[in-house]
Amino acid sequence: MTRAWLLAVVAACKHDAPPPAASPPAGSAAVAAVSTVSCAAVPFAVSTPVPEASGAAWLAVAGKTVVVTMGDSDRDGAYGLIDPESGDTLETGKLPLGDAGDDLEGLAVRDGVLYGLTSAGWMRAWKRTGTGIGSGGFDLVDGPYPLGPVDLPDKSSHDRPPKTDGMVCGARGVNCGRNYEGLCLPAHPSGACAGYAVAKADGHLYCLADAGDADHPGRFAVRREPALELGRPGAIADCAFAADTDELYVGANGFALNAVSRVVGWRDLATAHVEPIGDLGLGFCEGLAVRGDDIYRFSDLGGAPSLTTKFRCTSLPR
């Protein structure tokens, strides 16, 4: 894939270009200059019928582990279950949404519960129904609820950071406020952060604290600090914990050539740093999943189908 071809695809997608990168503030993530990992594309379905695939997560369904992906705004919660070996789409459907907007951008799973985060900063939780793949769906079991006080306007951010310390905008906001693009939940959380969210508008990884109670277990709240700068505004698209390790990865979109990196020392964002893996994916990648030596990217080209790619890498940390 040439740089010129990729930029042509990005232009065709009609995404607004991000603003110029600002000088990194003190305490920003140090980025290693050269990757020690080699990745190559392997045979995999080239697309899924899920429109505007914008997130990815691992989920066990009827004894089989699949990748869940979903569409973003105006797709009414469209989702698909993807075979991780062939890339075939095994099931499609609609996630029930409740009374809030449908701009789902981040997906993650913990303890069999599927969590979905909107760009505005509102969370939902679903559990699987049915007995098999192709004969089930999902029930909405919590949310939508805001990750904190609604303290930002619903106006689109155009991938520029808010001028205040606000973290959440209105329930039906689209690409507003911090413009959250990714959600990642470690299988074994420790410390103050139960999970993390990627904000596209300022290129930061934000801490999600445990905010559950007896009536609403498994809830989260976003924190302004600690935070880790991952990259330039408008370019960071997703985050994901590997299915079989506690390694944390982040994926950029086409404005950063679909780069994938690893966050080293993620349990303490004050001292964490970023190591590059490579430029992985076709089109305008937004979804990211990792398992073993394999990295999966899902591309949002503004409609259906969505491009899918799988890469096999050497020397991924275990």
Side-chain angles (χ1 to χ4, degrees):
M1 175 178 57
T2 67
R3 186 184 184 99
W5 181 88
L6 176 58
L7 293 177
V9 171
V10 170
C13 295
K14 298 183 180 179
H15 289 271
D16 292 333
S23 299
S28 299
V31 181
V34 179
S35 173
T36 60
V37 178
S38 176
C39 301
V42 296
F44 199 65
V46 298
S47 66
T48 174
V50 177
E52 298 190 76
S54 298
W58 294 100
L59 182 68
V61 179
K64 180 179 177 63
T65 300
V66 297
V67 183
V68 187
T69 188
M70 84 294 168
D72 56 21
S73 60
D74 298 325
R75 302 303 175 179
D76 300 322
Y79 77 86
L81 304 184
I82 311 297
D83 186 307
E85 302 305 324
S86 66
D88 293 340
T89 300
L90 306 176
E91 175 184 305
T92 59
K94 295 289 185 70
L95 294 166
L97 298 177
D99 188 20
D102 67 348
D103 192 26
L104 293 167
E105 297 287 356
L107 281 182
V109 171
R110 179 179 290 166
D111 297 330
V113 178
L114 178 66
Y115 293 88
L117 178 63
T118 70
S119 60
W122 288 67
M123 187 78 84
R124 296 175 172 92
W126 300 274
K127 285 188 176 179
R128 181 70 181 174
T129 63
T131 58
I133 297 174
S135 60
F138 292 87
D139 280 341
L140 181 65
V141 296
D142 195 16
Y145 67 89
L147 291 178
V150 178
D151 49 10
L152 289 170
D154 292 355
K155 183 179 179 180
S156 175
S157 70
H158 296 291
D159 295 331
R160 287 173 172 79
K163 295 181 179 180
T164 70
D165 288 342
M167 299 298 287
V168 179
C169 46
R172 299 191 180 279
V174 175
N175 298 333
C176 57
R178 300 287 160 188
N179 194 5
Y180 297 102
E181 282 283 301
L183 174 67
C184 37
L185 302 175
H188 306 100
S190 61
C193 300
Y196 300 89
V198 164
K200 183 181 176 185
D202 59 18
H204 279 68
L205 185 70
Y206 286 107
C207 173
L208 297 180
D210 184 351
D213 56 30
D215 294 327
H216 301 99
R219 283 197 168 188
F220 303 94
V222 68
R223 297 288 183 254
R224 183 77 172 87
E225 299 289 344
L228 175 67
E229 185 181 31
L230 299 172
R232 63 183 296 176
I236 306 301
D238 201 5
C239 61
F241 281 93
D244 49 353
T245 71
D246 282 335
E247 300 295 335
L248 175 58
Y249 295 85
V250 294
N253 58 33
F255 292 129
L257 298 181
N258 297 323
V260 175
S261 304
R262 182 171 73 105
V263 179
V264 181
W266 54 266
R267 289 180 175 85
D268 184 357
L269 296 185
T271 58
H273 67 278
V274 178
E275 291 183 352
I277 301 296
D279 299 338
L280 305 177
L282 295 175
F284 198 84
C285 290
E286 294 194 355
L288 170 70
V290 182
R291 184 177 70 167
D293 294 325
D294 297 333
I295 294 177
Y296 302 76
R297 300 305 311 271
F298 298 85
S299 178
D300 174 2
L301 292 181
S306 298
L307 297 180
T308 59
T309 45
K310 176 180 177 180
F311 297 86
R312 185 144 297 153
C313 303
T314 61
S315 304
L316 281 185
R318 296 297 182 90

